[in-house]
Amino acid sequence: MSWHVTGEALSAYASGRIADSDAWSVEMHLTACERCRAALAAEAATDVDLSTAIRESWPGIAANLSSQGRVRRGSRSRELIVLIAAGPAARWAWFTAAVVVLALAAGLGAVTPFGRGQEIPLLGVVAPLLPILGVAASYGSGLDDAHEVIASTPGGGIRLLLLRSASVLAVTLPVGLIAGAVTGYGSPIPWLAASLALILTTLALASVTGVGRAAAIVGAAWVTGLAMSAAGDVTQAAPALLDPDAVPVWLLVSVAAVAVVALRRQAFNYTSLPAHPRLEN
Amino acid sequence: MNASTMIGTHVDVRDLVVEFGKRTALDGVDLQLDTGVHGLLGPNGAGKTTLMRVLATVARSTSGSVSLLDHDLSKQRDLRMVRRRLGYLPQQFGYYPRFTVREFVEYFAWLKEMTPSAVPLAVDHAIERVGLADRADDRLKKLSGGMLRRAGIAQAIVNDPDVLLLDEPTAGLDPEQRVEFRELLRTIGVDSCVLVATHLVEDVAVACTHVTVVSDGRAVFRGTPDDLVAAGEDTSDGDSPIERGYTAAIRAARKR
Amino acid sequence: MEGTRTDDELLRAAGSGDRVAFEEYYSRNAAWLLIRLRRRCGDAELAADVMQDTFLAVWRAAATYSGSGQSGGWLWSIATRRLIDAYRRRAARPESAGEASEGLVYTSSAEDEALASSFGAELAVALDRLSPELRAVLQATVLDGLSTREAATLLDIPEGTVKTRVRRARLLLKEALA
Ligand SMILES: Nc1ncnc2c1ncn2[C@@H]1O[C@H](COP(=O)(O)OP(=O)(O)OP(=O)(O)O)[C@@H](O)[C@H]1O
Ligand SMILES: [Mg+2]
Ligand SMILES: [Zn+2]
């Protein structure tokens, strides 16, 4: 900084004998300039009134310097962490569920009863379900104790829902991919596409029924659909829903669901539930 | 109602009706509120919580118009702006037991879309104002009922709201805390609109600048606490002058 | 005391519990903060109280300061919140209603001299020509960065008045500089 407040101006400011416009420019500069702040401190030390006030204020401060606690900086990344991790009481429930179920599917190479003699890993059936269960658990208002207050905030509507859905996908999909690679279960593309379509359909349906119910409906539909498609065609290695040919259909469904969510986004602005039934005590 | 109506009203409710199936919870309520602390009194089931929830933009009205801070709530585009300037403590207030007080308040600071750099200071300030500074890093499940409610109040005021809605905020507070809480309310009411639903008539007498009494979904009395006292001069039911006024207001409404 | 550490460094150290660093930070920054607060509220005792509150908040929040070279603005923003709080508390006490406006409108003394202006001379003249009321409103909203509501609380005038005065002050300045 090349310009600094003159000593004359500093002492005029310290004593209060200064025009407003000058005081303003001094203050603007002091806010930005450490050197002049220190110079003013030296100036104030020569003023009895100011130096007394400053000296006498310190003990009151020093006596109250308790330990500072776990304070955190405010940043966009901190915001993301808080909003994503702050699900219901069981913060990491969905995460653990994903890991445990997929580990089971991978480790045991478990097969579903859908295949009628063919080996269809449980993974293909379960993996697409996980994201919707995760979303339901982390957002479904019936499960979130603080939903009543959340619903009154600007960030509590569709933004939070999408954020949490994305975070659930971001965790479960890689886990699913790894498990798939371990079990040697064909191409992951079909069930990835199915996953995406299911979660988006859940969100679209949630604009009408609420998240919890939407997840239940879509989940049930998925299992039923799988069972029916497997029963219908015994010659196929995988049920039609997980067939590579189904991928374009899933993508179409996804696009349609996105359109529904976009059109009905205002439905996420209100809670569909009465005030929370659980009484605190 | 008071002199400062020139800026526009903080809360403007006209002919508000809220129905739950066949039951009418609010039946044509009119309410205009400005800065100050406004008490909302009424018997169980009168519709206080229903009114609070509509004002908190959580529940929708069946008919009538509601505007907050000069924004019509039926306009979805304004909703977000209004919500940034709202504070709400529900009657049945859910929380995350594993969160610390600080995390809990911070969570709502983010949900209220505050500027990142302002969040830590606002959180600290809010916790300090409710007197929980020394418990800031305790998990909520370790707090007493009254402290929990104060954490709820901290959450509501973290964004320095223009409209603050508190539904039964003094439930569970000890007498000393209640005194401090009233002081806090008066402080906030200097330049915000505070609406407090309560059963504790003495809270209203001490902390409020205005009172509204609701009964069976209707606003049956509006005025200052002194007006309410005056309304009870001919009654003997109730332990304090203001309680008598409250009883008289409800009785008069039922007779009509 | 000529420290070798910058204010930023002192704050970071204070943020991890270093009381010595915090005391040094105090000794460097108490003066300008106190003077500025006194100019805003015209009440030496209140200014000292607000300063204490401010430094306590700074101690607790020091670890969250993430700027570089912006600690002055950061400190002042904490101080203004506390000052407004103090005004609210004062206004909330029924017995002292109305007292708040005293000493608030800063009046420049007779010994005004153009000493330090880093603004253009014309702007300085134009600012000094504004009425004290208009200047106070400009000071609160522009220099101190307060919202309309906060300025209204601090100056004890309705929000609408703050808005009209800011508008008028801007207009006058524009005319003067045209
Ligand atoms: N979600 C809901 N579904 C159906 N009825 C409801 C619902 N919420 C409230 N009601 C009914 O609306 C009426 C008003 O209820 P409200 O909770 O607003 O009363 P209140 O004044 O807050 O009572 P209290 O003093 O007990 O808290 C009651 O008859 C209640 O049963
Ligand atoms: Mg209620
Ligand atoms: Zn300088």
Side-chain angles (χ1 to χ4, degrees), chain C residues 153-165:
Chain C
T153 309
L154 210 61
L155 302 172
D156 198 25
I157 51 178
E159 274 184 61
T161 313
V162 173
K163 281 187 199 148
T164 49
R165 284 190 188 167

PDB file of all heavy atoms in Angstrom, chain C residues 153-165:
ATOM      1  N   THR C 153     -32.168   0.483  13.282  1.00  0.00           N
ATOM      2  CA  THR C 153     -32.052   0.213  14.713  1.00  0.00           C
ATOM      3  C   THR C 153     -30.979   1.096  15.343  1.00  0.00           C
ATOM      4  O   THR C 153     -31.169   1.674  16.412  1.00  0.00           O
ATOM      5  CB  THR C 153     -31.682  -1.261  14.947  1.00  0.00           C
ATOM      6  OG1 THR C 153     -32.583  -2.075  14.217  1.00  0.00           O
ATOM      7  CG2 THR C 153     -31.753  -1.620  16.420  1.00  0.00           C
ATOM      8  N   LEU C 154     -29.865   1.205  14.650  1.00  0.00           N
ATOM      9  CA  LEU C 154     -28.749   1.963  15.191  1.00  0.00           C
ATOM     10  C   LEU C 154     -29.088   3.449  15.309  1.00  0.00           C
ATOM     11  O   LEU C 154     -28.722   4.112  16.273  1.00  0.00           O
ATOM     12  CB  LEU C 154     -27.546   1.771  14.266  1.00  0.00           C
ATOM     13  CG  LEU C 154     -26.184   1.839  14.908  1.00  0.00           C
ATOM     14  CD1 LEU C 154     -26.061   0.747  15.955  1.00  0.00           C
ATOM     15  CD2 LEU C 154     -25.114   1.647  13.855  1.00  0.00           C
ATOM     16  N   LEU C 155     -29.798   3.960  14.310  1.00  0.00           N
ATOM     17  CA  LEU C 155     -30.073   5.397  14.299  1.00  0.00           C
ATOM     18  C   LEU C 155     -31.418   5.725  14.934  1.00  0.00           C
ATOM     19  O   LEU C 155     -31.796   6.878  15.022  1.00  0.00           O
ATOM     20  CB  LEU C 155     -30.032   5.924  12.863  1.00  0.00           C
ATOM     21  CG  LEU C 155     -28.710   5.686  12.133  1.00  0.00           C
ATOM     22  CD1 LEU C 155     -28.819   6.054  10.661  1.00  0.00           C
ATOM     23  CD2 LEU C 155     -27.594   6.491  12.793  1.00  0.00           C
ATOM     24  N   ASP C 156     -32.127   4.681  15.320  1.00  0.00           N
ATOM     25  CA  ASP C 156     -33.437   4.856  15.933  1.00  0.00           C
ATOM     26  C   ASP C 156     -34.396   5.651  15.054  1.00  0.00           C
ATOM     27  O   ASP C 156     -35.033   6.607  15.496  1.00  0.00           O
ATOM     28  CB  ASP C 156     -33.295   5.509  17.316  1.00  0.00           C
ATOM     29  CG  ASP C 156     -34.563   5.309  18.145  1.00  0.00           C
ATOM     30  OD1 ASP C 156     -35.288   4.334  17.881  1.00  0.00           O
ATOM     31  OD2 ASP C 156     -34.831   6.125  19.034  1.00  0.00           O
ATOM     32  N   ILE C 157     -34.437   5.313  13.797  1.00  0.00           N
ATOM     33  CA  ILE C 157     -35.416   5.890  12.880  1.00  0.00           C
ATOM     34  C   ILE C 157     -36.067   4.748  12.112  1.00  0.00           C
ATOM     35  O   ILE C 157     -35.490   3.667  12.040  1.00  0.00           O
ATOM     36  CB  ILE C 157     -34.756   6.879  11.876  1.00  0.00           C
ATOM     37  CG1 ILE C 157     -33.551   6.205  11.201  1.00  0.00           C
ATOM     38  CG2 ILE C 157     -34.321   8.155  12.582  1.00  0.00           C
ATOM     39  CD1 ILE C 157     -32.876   7.078  10.163  1.00  0.00           C
ATOM     40  N   PRO C 158     -37.268   4.961  11.557  1.00  0.00           N
ATOM     41  CA  PRO C 158     -37.919   3.871  10.814  1.00  0.00           C
ATOM     42  C   PRO C 158     -37.130   3.467   9.569  1.00  0.00           C
ATOM     43  O   PRO C 158     -36.399   4.280   9.006  1.00  0.00           O
ATOM     44  CB  PRO C 158     -39.265   4.468  10.407  1.00  0.00           C
ATOM     45  CG  PRO C 158     -39.466   5.624  11.309  1.00  0.00           C
ATOM     46  CD  PRO C 158     -38.111   6.143  11.664  1.00  0.00           C
ATOM     47  N   GLU C 159     -37.305   2.200   9.175  1.00  0.00           N
ATOM     48  CA  GLU C 159     -36.607   1.702   7.990  1.00  0.00           C
ATOM     49  C   GLU C 159     -36.890   2.541   6.754  1.00  0.00           C
ATOM     50  O   GLU C 159     -36.012   2.795   5.942  1.00  0.00           O
ATOM     51  CB  GLU C 159     -37.035   0.252   7.702  1.00  0.00           C
ATOM     52  CG  GLU C 159     -36.231  -0.763   8.460  1.00  0.00           C
ATOM     53  CD  GLU C 159     -36.620  -2.180   8.074  1.00  0.00           C
ATOM     54  OE1 GLU C 159     -36.475  -2.532   6.892  1.00  0.00           O
ATOM     55  OE2 GLU C 159     -37.077  -2.936   8.964  1.00  0.00           O
ATOM     56  N   GLY C 160     -38.158   2.953   6.635  1.00  0.00           N
ATOM     57  CA  GLY C 160     -38.539   3.756   5.473  1.00  0.00           C
ATOM     58  C   GLY C 160     -37.725   5.040   5.409  1.00  0.00           C
ATOM     59  O   GLY C 160     -37.297   5.479   4.333  1.00  0.00           O
ATOM     60  N   THR C 161     -37.486   5.636   6.575  1.00  0.00           N
ATOM     61  CA  THR C 161     -36.710   6.873   6.627  1.00  0.00           C
ATOM     62  C   THR C 161     -35.266   6.628   6.190  1.00  0.00           C
ATOM     63  O   THR C 161     -34.675   7.453   5.484  1.00  0.00           O
ATOM     64  CB  THR C 161     -36.736   7.434   8.061  1.00  0.00           C
ATOM     65  OG1 THR C 161     -38.081   7.399   8.522  1.00  0.00           O
ATOM     66  CG2 THR C 161     -36.213   8.851   8.111  1.00  0.00           C
ATOM     67  N   VAL C 162     -34.714   5.484   6.606  1.00  0.00           N
ATOM     68  CA  VAL C 162     -33.351   5.154   6.175  1.00  0.00           C
ATOM     69  C   VAL C 162     -33.298   5.137   4.661  1.00  0.00           C
ATOM     70  O   VAL C 162     -32.425   5.739   4.038  1.00  0.00           O
ATOM     71  CB  VAL C 162     -32.905   3.780   6.730  1.00  0.00           C
ATOM     72  CG1 VAL C 162     -31.556   3.376   6.146  1.00  0.00           C
ATOM     73  CG2 VAL C 162     -32.840   3.812   8.243  1.00  0.00           C
ATOM     74  N   LYS C 163     -34.280   4.442   4.068  1.00  0.00           N
ATOM     75  CA  LYS C 163     -34.273   4.310   2.615  1.00  0.00           C
ATOM     76  C   LYS C 163     -34.362   5.666   1.931  1.00  0.00           C
ATOM     77  O   LYS C 163     -33.605   5.950   1.000  1.00  0.00           O
ATOM     78  CB  LYS C 163     -35.428   3.414   2.166  1.00  0.00           C
ATOM     79  CG  LYS C 163     -35.125   1.944   2.350  1.00  0.00           C
ATOM     80  CD  LYS C 163     -36.219   1.079   1.741  1.00  0.00           C
ATOM     81  CE  LYS C 163     -36.161  -0.324   2.319  1.00  0.00           C
ATOM     82  NZ  LYS C 163     -37.479  -0.947   2.416  1.00  0.00           N
ATOM     83  N   THR C 164     -35.299   6.517   2.385  1.00  0.00           N
ATOM     84  CA  THR C 164     -35.449   7.812   1.708  1.00  0.00           C
ATOM     85  C   THR C 164     -34.206   8.674   1.909  1.00  0.00           C
ATOM     86  O   THR C 164     -33.777   9.368   0.994  1.00  0.00           O
ATOM     87  CB  THR C 164     -36.694   8.568   2.191  1.00  0.00           C
ATOM     88  OG1 THR C 164     -36.698   8.581   3.619  1.00  0.00           O
ATOM     89  CG2 THR C 164     -37.964   7.946   1.685  1.00  0.00           C
ATOM     90  N   ARG C 165     -33.614   8.601   3.106  1.00  0.00           N
ATOM     91  CA  ARG C 165     -32.420   9.429   3.341  1.00  0.00           C
ATOM     92  C   ARG C 165     -31.240   8.977   2.488  1.00  0.00           C
ATOM     93  O   ARG C 165     -30.483   9.810   1.979  1.00  0.00           O
ATOM     94  CB  ARG C 165     -32.030   9.404   4.820  1.00  0.00           C
ATOM     95  CG  ARG C 165     -32.949  10.260   5.652  1.00  0.00           C
ATOM     96  CD  ARG C 165     -32.437  10.431   7.067  1.00  0.00           C
ATOM     97  NE  ARG C 165     -33.448  11.101   7.870  1.00  0.00           N
ATOM     98  CZ  ARG C 165     -33.404  11.176   9.193  1.00  0.00           C
ATOM     99  NH1 ARG C 165     -32.409  10.632   9.855  1.00  0.00           N
ATOM    100  NH2 ARG C 165     -34.354  11.805   9.863  1.00  0.00           N
TER     101      ARG C 165
END
